[in-house]
Structure formats: structure tokens, C-alpha cells
Amino acid sequence: MGQLLSSRAVDWREGRRLRAWELHEAGWTQAQVAEALGVTPGAVSQWMRRAREGGGVTALHKRSAPGAASKLSAEQQAKVLAWLDEGAPAHGFIGEVWTRKRVAALIERKLGVHYHPGHVSKLLQSWKRSPQKPALRATQRDEEAIEQWCQERWPAIKKSGAAREPQGGVRRRERLLFAAGGRADLRACSPHAGAAPPTDA
């Protein structure tokens, strides 16, 4: 006797459908097949109809779900890649960073095709690119003033805060630093001053 179709199935669902076909071909009723496989008679009926109308047992094999078609043709995708290579400033953006929102805006502006910024990530991945995150820095940031403040004011504030508030010193320092210019300035006085601040995409 030859090898059973169900033994070559790619997953258990396909195996169950193929086994139902084998039992049906062996003369079992749909009710008997359903009971043997632990499914409803309605499921067996659907599988048999699918096999009858779909060209036989091959209709019971697993079908791969088609992915959504890209909104952009291959030619349009090539254009977008060329625009990205030109840099963000060439397309009216400030700074060299290509964020998902910027890429979505560029595609809509140039091609009239709307993409949600979240879906732009998939496009970028398919192109072997990744969205870039902008570093958040105040445009009026004065590096000299920050350095002077860190050297002259911060040690005194740190010392007086530790002396007066042993339990809540950190929170007090945060308030003082926020008043002095925000968290970006707090980072300038930390040992990790060169590290980039965390940002949202």
C-alpha cells in the first residue's frame, strides 16, 4: 500500500483535511469521518465540497495567504529610494534625518500615495533601510552657559540638596535642574554627557 496523503501534510490542519478525504474515499460517511477526527460534520462537508469544486484533493492542501499588494510600483519605489539618497533637506525638511513620518509625507507629497507612518517601517525594512530618530536638542541651547552652570552652580546645588534633603534629594535636584533649563541640561552635567538622549520615533 502506498504512503498516505495525510502523512505528507505540512501541518496538522492540512493533515486532518487530507485524512478526512482518505476516509471519505474509503467509503466512510461524513458523520463517521467527523467523529473519527473530532470535528463537526459541517466541517467535513465543507472540505468535501472544497475538494469537489476545487479540483480534487489538491484543494485541501494548505494555501498560503497572499500578502497585501504594495501601494507603490517597482518604479515608484526606485524613485523614493533615490529621493531618500538625496537627503531630507533636498525635500524641504530641516536636518538630515529620515523619520517614518517624513518618509510618509514625502511619498504622499510626491506620489499622492498615503502611507501610515507605522507602515513605512515595513517599506523601509523591505529596502534594507531603517527609520532614523532625531536627537532632541533645544535650538537655543547655549553650550558655554551650560558648561559654566555645570562647573559653578551645579556642585553647590548638589551639595546643598544632599545636606538638606537626604531622602528627597534627587527630586529636589530635578526641580532645580528643570528650572535651570530642563533635562537636556541635566544630562550635560552627568558623567554620560556625550550619550544621546532617548527620543520618541
Side-chain angles (χ1 to χ4, degrees), residues 9 30 34 43 57 64-65 67 71 74 102 114-115 120 122 127 138-139 150 158 177 182 192-195 200:
Q30 287 186 5
V57 71
S64 54
K71 294 181 186 180
R102 285 182 173 190
H114 176 75
Y115 269 95
V120 170
K122 292 178 183 174
W127 298 332
T139 55
C150 286
K158 186 175 176 183
L177 286 168
H192 309 291
D200 294 328

Side-chain angles (χ1 to χ4, degrees), residues 39 49 124 134 147 164-165 179:
V39 296
R49 185 171 60 248
L124 292 170
E147 182 63 31
R164 279 192 266 156
E165 289 186 71

Side-chain angles (χ1 to χ4, degrees), residues 5-6 9-25 33 37 39 43-44 46-48 50-51 57-64:
L5 287 171
S6 55
V10 297
D11 66 19
W12 67 271
R13 289 182 183 90
E14 180 182 285
R16 186 173 60 182
R17 290 190 300 270
L18 293 174
R19 186 66 183 142
W21 174 260
E22 291 164 350
L23 295 175
H24 175 72
E25 290 296 294
V33 172
L37 298 178
V39 296
V44 176
Q46 286 177 4
W47 297 337
M48 296 307 112
R50 187 165 140 187
V57 71
T58 55
L60 298 176
H61 286 285
K62 182 178 181 178
R63 295 180 285 196
S64 54

